[in-house]
Every structure is written in structure tokens, then in C-alpha cells.
Amino acid sequence: MNYNKKTVKDVDVKGKKVLLRCDFNVPMAKDGSGVITDDKRIRAALPTIQYLLDQGAAVIACSHMGKPVPSFDKWVKKQAEKGKDPASLTEEKWKKSLDELRMEPVAARLSELLGRKVILAGDVVGPDAQAKAAALKGGEIMLLQNTRFEKGETKNDPELAGKMAGLAGENGVYVSDAFGAVHRAHASTAGVADYLPAVSGFLIQKELDFIGGALANPKRPLVAILGGSKVSSKIGVINNLLEIADTIIIGGGMAYTFSAARGGKVGDSLLEADWKDYSLEMIQKAKDKGVKLLLPVDTVIADKFAPDAESKVVKAGEIPDSWQGLDIGPETVKLYCDAVKDAGTVIWNGPMGVFEFDKFAVGTKAVAEALSETSAITIIGGGDSAAAVQQLGYAGKMTHISTGGGASLEFMEGKELPGVACLLDQ
Ligand code: ADP
Ligand code: MG
């Protein structure tokens, strides 16, 4: 995939209408009160929005929010699958489920942050959105309703995409800044690019520069640190990075599947028996490619999966029955920290242990600290990894922390991202 894409700086947007896809899928309070519990994603979109407004563009922003089910029958089916009593599934409840995913709270917060009015449309491509978009002037911003209120959104329906693009009119431009959604080929993330010249905003540009740069032309040696819970969720990442990296470090829950595959005893540790063969294949692939593959030499084990579990250190592959590995051990920490010292680039995806429990956050913390001390370009991808780095206080010391969980994983898997592929090449 070509990561060299045109950006907002490469097009003239003055006096034009810009359809801007953001990722405003913010977490909301569970009580349906419409309170945004973390506005990070809205704040992250501000530089691109401000730039467009300063350039004199009329900005038509849009985003999805949550997973509304835009058809009553489908909603009933889904709720019933979740075990809800069919008699309780009224049309009123369905409408309420949609109302909770309206964009009013986002518009209000965005308006506060920008210090200017944000015009909110009552629909996505309906009469209200059309009228408001038609009347929108340069330097003004409006927000469409939740794009997933339209059935065609997740199906990438060309008719819907055409209507969305139509809001920006004849000379319209499409700017994508929703990195968290670029791995999905939806009408608002990819389809619209068939109708409008499409470029990236600053958020996507940064992700392409750092992650794309590290994959396509890394400063070497490139060290990839892979952890997290399961081998099965990281097969693509391991496989792709084995093609690119000089060193691969394995930690976290998936290390136990590797250990078991090599004949080790893993007790009650996270084990995916079906993926043992795959682990052996990857060990072989590393040998064939001359990639250094590091596996834990010791591990911190616990007598239960709990923050107050009793713990001790044992050699990798020697975990007694009814104990489980929840972190890498001190020898492994040393080995891994040494391996990143002289790196040119480090890509990190997946915590080294159950960092949510203080007692088992030691390995993850040590690796984060080692990264903060190298002169390497350090790139963090994956939702939990980003959260771990943040929680442990090292966020400011990393070169780049990806804003897209699923998108950054697919990026590291080397997959084509539809929301990036559709943008104009430089
Ligand atoms: P990311 O979101 O960064 O891609 P993952 O979702 O793959 O990362 O993995 C994160 C989760 O892995 C964390 O919740 C962490 O508690 C868990 N984890 C790490 N090590 C272990 C382990 N040894 N046993 C069980 N779970 C683990
Ligand atoms: Mg995760």
C-alpha cells in the first residue's frame, strides 16, 4: 500500500465545502445522560478542523457513534440473540437506543472546544442536512447526525456515499481524519472518495508518516515488541513484522502458547492449543529470515487471576499446575530492555503482562521505561498498549502513540486500509 497520500495542505479549500470524516465515537456515560466521559477524540480532531476553517472552508463534519441498528426488525433480532425477552422489545425502546447515539453531545462539546457555533443537522443526508449544508458559508462548521443511522453506511452503499458527497456540492473536497475507522470500507470512510477529491487530515497524515514510515522504510535496527493476550489476535502482525523487523520480542499472554509449543509446562496460563503449530512455524520463519526472535526466559506466576494473587518467579516452561503466568520475569525484562537499547525504530503492540494489576505491570513498565530512554523512534499501536503506556506515565516520552486500536493492528498486519487506499496519492 502506498502511504504517501495528499493532505489538506495539498488542496485549495478556500470557499469550498469540505466533507470531513472524523472519529467522534467517544465513550458516553452508561446511564444515557449524554455525558461524554472522555473527549480525547474530539480534541484530536481540532487541528484539522481549525486549519480548514482558517483556510475559509465550509466544514461539514461527520462521524459514526456506537453501533445503532437502523432497522427495528434487525434490532429485535439482535436483542433476542442477546437473550432479551422478546415481549419487552418495543418500538419505543428501539428509538431510545438510537436517541442515545445522536450527535447532540458531540456538537455541544465541539462547539465549546472550538469556541464557535457548530450547526447540527437532524439527519445524515436528509432534507435538514441538505438545507443546512447548502446554506453553510466559508469559515462555518456543521455536524451531520450519526452516519450509522443510515443503513447504507456499513454496507458502503454507493447511493448513500453519493448523497454524502453531494452535500459538499460541485467543488467539494473530502478530508478523512478518522484514523480509528480507516480499516472499514464504509460509505463515509471510503465510498465518498469515488465522488470527491479525497485527502488526509493531520491525524491520518501523522499515522501514515510514523507507522507507514516504520513499515516501509524503518530506521534500523527495527525491533518489534509483541505481546497482549492471544496469539490468534496477533497472527497477522507477527507474520508481517517477521518480514520487516530485525528483532522480534514476544511477551504477554501469547508467550505461553509459544512456550507450550516448544514442550514447556505452562500450568493454567493463557494457552491457545490450536495455535501451537503456528507458533513453531513462526519460530522457523524467524530462523529462515535471519530475524532474531526473543522469547521469555522466566515468568512471574500467580496462584489466581487477581490483583492480590500470590506470586513467584519461575523459569519459562516450568510453570507448576494450577499456577498461571501473568508477567515476564526479571531476567526477561533485562534481556528485552537490552534488545531495544540500540534500536533505530521500535514498534510495540501488546502489553508484556496483565498491566491492569499493579503487581503484574512490572514487565510492561520496564519495557515502557526502556523505550523512553532510547533514542529510537518509538511507535505504540493497539488500544490496550496505548492505555498501558498512558496509565504508566510514559505517553509523553514516545514518538507516536496510534489513535486507532483496530486500525493500527490492521496497518501493522500490512493489510490495505480502505480509508487510506481511497485517498489521492502524492
Ligand atoms: P492491544 O489492545 O494493545 O492490541 P491486546 O488486546 O492484544 O493488546 O492485549 C491486551 C491484554 O492482554 C491486556 O488486557 C492484558 O491484561 C492481557 N495480557 C497480557 N499478558 C497476559 C497474560 N500473561 N495473561 C493474561 N492476559 C494477559
Ligand atoms: Mg486490545
Side-chain angles (χ1 to χ4, degrees), residues 204-392:
I204 290 194
Q205 184 197 1
K206 196 165 165 246
E207 299 277 358
L208 295 180
D209 280 356
F210 284 112
I211 305 183
L215 296 177
N217 187 21
K219 188 169 168 230
R220 292 190 182 274
L222 169 62
V223 180
I225 308 175
L226 302 175
S229 50
K230 294 181 179 169
V231 175
S232 59
S233 65
K234 300 288 162 79
I235 33 176
V237 179
I238 306 173
N239 194 36
N240 187 45
L241 288 175
L242 267 170
E243 303 281 341
I244 308 169
D246 301 292
T247 301
I248 298 229
I249 292 174
I250 303 277
M254 69 185 188
Y256 305 100
T257 298
F258 277 82
S259 175
R262 296 160 82 216
K265 284 175 59 184
V266 298
D268 284 348
S269 306
L270 205 63
L271 169 67
E272 291 180 291
D274 290 353
W275 290 97
K276 285 204 287 194
D277 287 347
Y278 176 84
S279 308
L280 293 178
E281 262 173 51
M282 291 301 108
I283 293 171
Q284 187 58 45
K285 181 169 173 179
K287 269 191 200 135
D288 296 345
K289 298 219 160 253
V291 175
K292 207 187 214 178
L293 181 74
L294 300 179
L295 293 163
V297 291
D298 60 355
T299 180
V300 180
I301 57 171
D303 61 348
K304 58 181 175 190
F305 187 87
D308 62 346
E310 202 183 304
S311 68
K312 56 186 178 186
V313 176
V314 297
K315 279 195 186 145
E318 296 183 10
I319 303 177
D321 291 346
S322 80
W323 287 73
Q324 53 186 302
L326 295 187
D327 197 4
I328 53 174
E331 287 300 317
T332 308
V333 165
K334 249 189 247 146
L335 182 72
Y336 289 4
C337 291
D338 263 357
V340 298
K341 250 189 207 131
D342 300 316
T345 309
V346 182
I347 296 183
W348 184 10
N349 168 248
M352 296 292 97
V354 182
F355 72 95
E356 294 92 337
F357 302 157
D358 283 349
K359 201 168 180 177
F360 305 103
V362 178
T364 303
K365 188 160 190 217
V367 168
E369 186 163 317
L371 290 203
S372 74
E373 286 167 355
T374 64
S375 52
I377 296 167
T378 49
I379 296 167
I380 318 297
D384 292 291
S385 310
V389 168
Q390 203 96 37
Q391 185 189 311
L392 297 168

Side-chain angles (χ1 to χ4, degrees), residues 129-171:
Q130 285 181 30
K132 284 176 173 153
L136 199 70
K137 296 193 184 64
E140 291 181 345
I141 176 166
M142 68 178 281
L143 178 63
L144 304 179
Q145 271 306 329
N146 188 345
T147 53
R148 288 194 187 163
F149 286 170
E150 289 289 335
K151 285 186 193 124
E153 165 70 336
T154 56
K155 296 190 187 105
N156 195 6
D157 171 30
E159 196 184 320
L160 175 64
K163 280 188 187 163
M164 281 181 183
L167 296 174
E170 280 284 290
N171 304 311

